Amino acid sequence: MTLTEAQLATVKAYFKQRLWQQERSYEELLDHFCCDVEAYMQRGLSFPQALHATQQCWNEEEVQKLNFSNQKSLTMMHLFSFVSVLLAFLTFSPMNGPAVAPLEPPQECPLQSEEFRETASFGEYWHPLKKRTHFHKGIDWQAPIGTPVHAAGNGVVVTAEAHDKYGLRIIIAHDETYETLYAHLGELHVKRGDTVTVGQWIGNVGVTGLTTAPHLHYEVLKNGQAIDPKQFLP
């Protein structure tokens, strides 16, 4: 199994975030990391699950060991590869079960505070700024600035940046099918490549982007298409 260009780009973004692209054995590290991801995928995991599992095995100390010297680097990488594949087998064996949080469709409300109310639902509505009927792709919840926003499910952060329309936004991939989007945030507490668990604090309600008041705009996307988030709320 070989990673797609989009999946490889996600791995490279994770390496850039960790500054591993500056290592002298970058190409070897990247190849080894991808092999570990592919090994997990061959065992039936989706790409986000495989990426998450590989990230759990890798850390800065192990990278430093791999880069101890040019001569020892290759030997260490082979040894580490064997250990990683062995861990993959043990971690997901029927006897032990998964050691990482399973990825699945979103299942929780991203706002857990009681200080919020719904101001716009999924579907057609009158847009106060555009002065015309507009199709709303998610749910808007009005809440005080600074209200914590939580991940609706386990997943991998694929976007955490400013957007002209959405302001500060976060997109989390939960599996190969579902993603959630959190927009108009005032603060981001995660970055691209981070793995998150359901209920994790990922940001705060703000008033950024195209908006008239502080609120959270929340979307659920299935295969890239927005669907009604209410079917995934508890």
Side-chain angles (χ1 to χ4, degrees):
M1 181 176 295
T2 304
L3 299 183
T4 65
E5 291 185 5
Q7 292 168 345
L8 182 58
T10 300
V11 172
K12 288 183 176 180
Y14 178 72
F15 265 56
K16 182 177 181 181
Q17 168 202 333
R18 293 291 188 273
L19 300 180
W20 291 347
Q21 64 178 3
Q22 299 178 10
E23 300 289 349
R24 59 176 177 267
S25 56
Y26 166 73
E27 292 296 337
E28 290 84 353
L29 291 172
L30 179 62
D31 181 66
H32 173 65
F33 191 95
C34 289
C35 286
D36 283 356
V37 173
E38 291 167 357
Y40 279 113
M41 293 175 68
Q42 289 174 354
R43 286 168 172 76
L45 276 69
S46 67
F47 172 69
Q49 289 176 315
L51 179 63
H52 176 75
T54 305
Q55 289 170 343
Q56 298 301 304
C57 294
W58 281 58
N59 55 52
E60 304 298 333
E61 181 180 352
E62 293 296 342
V63 172
Q64 291 304 316
K65 289 179 181 178
L66 295 175
N67 284 324
F68 181 73
S69 69
N70 289 333
Q71 182 176 2
K72 293 183 179 179
S73 179
L74 185 59
T75 301
M76 290 298 295
M77 278 190 290
H78 287 164
L79 176 61
F80 188 68
S81 179
F82 171 77
V83 172
S84 296
V85 172
L86 179 61
L87 285 173
F89 175 77
L90 294 175
T91 301
F92 293 96
S93 67
M95 180 179 297
N96 295 325
V100 296
L103 300 183
E104 53 193 4
Q107 57 189 297
E108 295 293 336
C109 180
L111 293 180
Q112 300 177 5
S113 167
E114 297 181 355
E115 298 183 74
F116 71 92
R117 65 183 181 89
E118 183 179 323
T119 55
S121 300
F122 180 84
E124 298 284 348
Y125 87 113
W126 178 257
H127 198 291
L129 295 180
K130 297 181 179 179
K131 305 300 182 184
R132 61 178 174 82
T133 301
H134 176 75
F135 188 84
H136 194 240
K137 296 182 178 181
I139 296 177
D140 284 352
W141 286 300
Q142 184 177 9
I145 292 178
T147 300
V149 176
H150 305 269
N154 302 320
V156 178
V157 177
V158 296
T159 298
E161 61 185 7
H163 183 274
D164 291 342
K165 173 185 174 182
Y166 288 117
L168 291 178
R169 66 171 181 171
I170 295 170
I171 299 176
I172 298 174
H174 299 284
D175 54 25
E176 295 288 359
T177 302
Y178 291 99
E179 295 177 315
T180 50
L181 180 149
Y182 314 75
H184 307 302
L185 302 175
E187 295 179 1
L188 305 177
H189 296 306
V190 293
K191 53 188 176 297
R192 181 178 178 182
D194 284 355
T195 56
V196 296
T197 56
V198 59
Q200 181 175 330
W201 183 20
I202 60 174
N204 292 342
V205 170
V207 62
T208 59
L210 188 60
T211 181
T212 57
H215 74 282
L216 172 67
H217 173 80
Y218 174 65
E219 294 182 16
V220 175
L221 299 100
K222 182 178 182 180
N223 295 320
Q225 299 297 317
I227 58 177
D228 191 348
K230 287 188 176 179
Q231 60 186 298
F232 299 96
L233 295 178

